[in-house]
Amino acid sequence: MAKGHLAGRKALVTGSTQGIGAAIALRFAQDGADVVLNGRDPDGAPQELIERISSLGQRAVYVAADISGGAAEAARLVQEAATALGGLDILVNNAGVERRADFWDVTEEDYDLVMDTNVKGLFFATQAFVRHVRAQGQGQGQQSASRSSDAAAPRNRGVVVNISSVHEEIAFPHFASYCASKGALRMLTRNLATELAPLGIRINNVAPGAIATPINTDLLNNPEQLRALTAQIPLGRMGQPEDVAGLVAFLAGDEARYITGGTHFVDGGLTYHYAEQ
């Protein structure tokens, strides 16, 4: 029997075959949610992760889609996810890319990839999710009362959590398109918090700092660079994917029902201590 503060919820986590996305999907299952996993490769279903979620008594379905492929592809992903689980309550926009280059060497191809994935794809996946919530009647005005006896605290079943970055706030030289995409996400989230609130839909950003994921493999294998980075982090270490997943799970649940429109940092104190070397 499903247990936990997300019991009965149905979630789509984009870019969830490894790293932070996989940790979020597993945490959701531990908290009682069924999950749709997503990656670009039709043959790339993360079988080990699916088995771990299934062992918790929750459903895990893999839907292949490239979020950078435009509005139609994003809508297809959301629709297939909703069909697979019989509805969706939660969308986590985790899929994202970055490309390193001096600003004067950035190619249009790389710029388009970053913006199409981190902004355009996320924008239209969220739009498709909002349409789904409205069609299901989940977001029509205030929601039914939460599981608590407090009738003044309605339950929000339409929840969006975007995985942003500390670089929506701090500079990251040689990653101009990435920073621009995360800055755009910060303003989009603020705007949608206002526009979607009357529908009972909440939206927040989670901004990880330095997290030990596959994208940081080179850094993790370079002791000198790793020491320089951790010296910038007040808590003295890189974060783990599970550190991010715990906050996402909280924001997705009823205990966060009065939280919308904000960016919530998971960075060990990095953001307001950081100085680019």
Side-chain angles (χ1 to χ4, degrees), residues 52-254:
R52 290 186 69 185
I53 292 173
S54 297
S55 72
L56 296 169
Q58 303 303 136
R59 296 183 60 198
V61 179
Y62 178 74
V63 177
D66 184 350
I67 203 70
S68 71
E73 179 77 344
R76 179 185 69 80
L77 169 60
V78 172
Q79 180 57 54
E80 290 192 13
T83 298
L85 295 184
L88 285 176
D89 307 301
I90 302 163
L91 170 65
V92 178
N93 288 307
N94 173 72
V97 298
E98 62 183 33
R99 289 292 183 270
R100 189 187 195 283
D102 294 331
F103 175 72
W104 46 91
D105 289 331
V106 174
T107 66
E108 184 175 8
E109 179 182 12
D110 280 351
Y111 173 89
D112 285 345
L113 175 64
V114 171
M115 299 304 284
D116 285 350
T117 305
N118 298 1
V119 182
K120 183 178 179 180
L122 178 151
F123 185 105
F124 285 106
T126 303
Q127 181 189 75
F129 174 76
V130 169
R131 288 175 172 173
H132 168 74
V133 170
R134 294 183 72 226
Q136 296 299 307
Q138 296 170 346
Q140 302 302 315
Q142 293 293 327
Q143 301 299 305
S144 60
S146 68
R147 295 186 190 92
S148 74
S149 60
D150 184 3
R155 170 179 171 179
N156 304 111
R157 286 192 57 86
V159 179
V160 180
V161 181
N162 302 314
I163 305 304
S164 182
S165 167
V166 294
H167 297 296
E168 70 167 54
E169 179 71 23
I170 60 178
F172 194 17
H174 316 294
F175 290 86
S177 59
Y178 181 77
C179 290
S181 73
K182 297 304 182 179
L185 179 54
R186 176 173 60 182
M187 193 61 228
L188 176 64
T189 297
R190 293 176 178 178
N191 195 73
L192 291 184
T194 299
E195 188 167 354
L196 301 181
L199 304 176
I201 300 173
R202 296 187 295 105
I203 181 169
N204 286 284
N205 284 352
V206 168
I211 308 297
T213 63
I215 199 172
N216 287 318
T217 298
D218 290 343
L219 170 65
L220 292 168
N221 291 329
N222 186 317
E224 183 177 349
Q225 288 186 4
L226 186 58
R227 280 194 298 270
L229 173 61
T230 54
Q232 297 261 22
I233 302 172
L235 288 184
R237 66 172 178 87
M238 291 185 70
Q240 298 297 316
E242 293 76 15
D243 295 325
V244 181
L247 178 56
V248 175
F250 169 74
L251 290 171
D254 288 345

